[in-house]
């Protein structure tokens, strides 16, 4: 895609973000696009929906998957008003979008009171230093769900 093509979609994502602020949501907007076709949009819905996972990118990815009837967004591009946080970036990877294109970066987000850098830095540190305890407590049959999965002949691989 050309730079001008990207800028056009980024302007739409930025417009969504600004509109969302006026409507009580966070300053983030996202789009899923195939070429020149808008597949889905998403706005940050964390506070209105009381859902910490309702970031604009995740909302757009969920809507796009429903719109195309598939959990894979291969061949599509995610345009977002701001650099995705680690959760949104991971969601983009799981959704298999071809590209993620963003406008503002994590430093702009930090100036706005959204310090995603902390999460990027957190994942690079030892878990023992994390504010949330994340630990394994492994029962003898911990792998039973995977055995059930592997024995299911009609499973849908992803």
């Amino acid at each position: 895609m050309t730079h001008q093509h990207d800028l056009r979609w980024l302007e739409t994502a930025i417009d969504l973000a600004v509109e969302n602020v006026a409507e009580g949501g966070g300053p983030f907007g996202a789009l899923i696009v195939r070429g020149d076709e808008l597949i889905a949009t998403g706005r940050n819905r964390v506070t209105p929906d009381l859902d910490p996972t309702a970031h604009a990118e995740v909302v757009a990815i969920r809507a796009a998957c429903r719109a195309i009837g598939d959990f894979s967004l291969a061949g599509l591009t995610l345009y977002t008003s701001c650099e995705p946080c680690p959760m949104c970036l991971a969601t983009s990877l799981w959704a298999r979008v071809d590209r993620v294109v963003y406008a503002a970066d994590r430093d702009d987000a930090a100036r706005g009171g959204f310090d995603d850098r902390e999460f990027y830095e957190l994942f690079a540190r030892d878990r023992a230093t994390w504010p949330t305890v994340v630990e394994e407590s492994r029962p003898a049959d911990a792998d039973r769900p995977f055995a059930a999965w592997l024995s299911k002949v009609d499973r849908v691989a992803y």
Side-chain angles (χ1 to χ4, degrees):
M1 295 296 146
T2 68
H3 180 66
Q4 289 303 319
H5 183 266
D6 289 344
L7 289 179
R8 183 183 70 148
W9 289 116
L10 287 172
E11 282 300 322
T12 303
I14 291 167
D15 289 344
L16 279 174
V18 172
E19 290 168 12
N20 200 50
V21 170
E23 295 170 7
F28 303 97
L31 316 167
I32 302 290
V33 173
R34 180 188 298 129
D36 288 325
E37 178 188 9
L38 177 63
I39 303 296
T41 65
R43 299 174 187 213
N44 181 283
R45 302 288 308 160
V46 171
T47 55
D49 292 354
L50 305 177
D51 180 353
T53 68
H55 290 201
E57 297 89 342
V58 173
V59 172
I61 287 169
R62 289 173 181 162
C65 289
R66 285 190 303 272
I68 68 168
D70 198 343
F71 57 83
S72 173
L73 300 179
L76 281 68
T77 299
L78 168 65
Y79 289 97
T80 182
S81 63
C82 187
E83 181 179 8
C85 74
M87 176 184 71
C88 294
L89 188 56
T91 303
S92 301
L93 295 170
W94 276 111
R96 295 168 179 82
V97 297
D98 280 11
R99 297 174 66 221
V100 175
V101 183
Y102 61 88
D105 64 18
R106 63 183 80 172
D107 296 318
D108 297 310
R111 283 189 293 278
F114 299 87
D115 202 353
D116 298 349
R117 289 176 304 191
E118 288 185 29
F119 288 112
Y120 278 103
E121 293 167 3
L122 177 76
F123 292 131
R125 296 194 324 248
D126 185 295
R127 283 188 184 174
T129 67
W130 291 13
T132 301
V133 175
V134 178
E135 61 189 1
E136 181 180 38
S137 183
R138 189 178 181 88
D141 66 345
D143 66 341
R144 190 162 47 104
F146 297 105
W149 171 256
L150 291 172
S151 69
K152 184 171 175 53
V153 178
D154 62 342
R155 69 181 178 268
V156 177
Y158 61 97

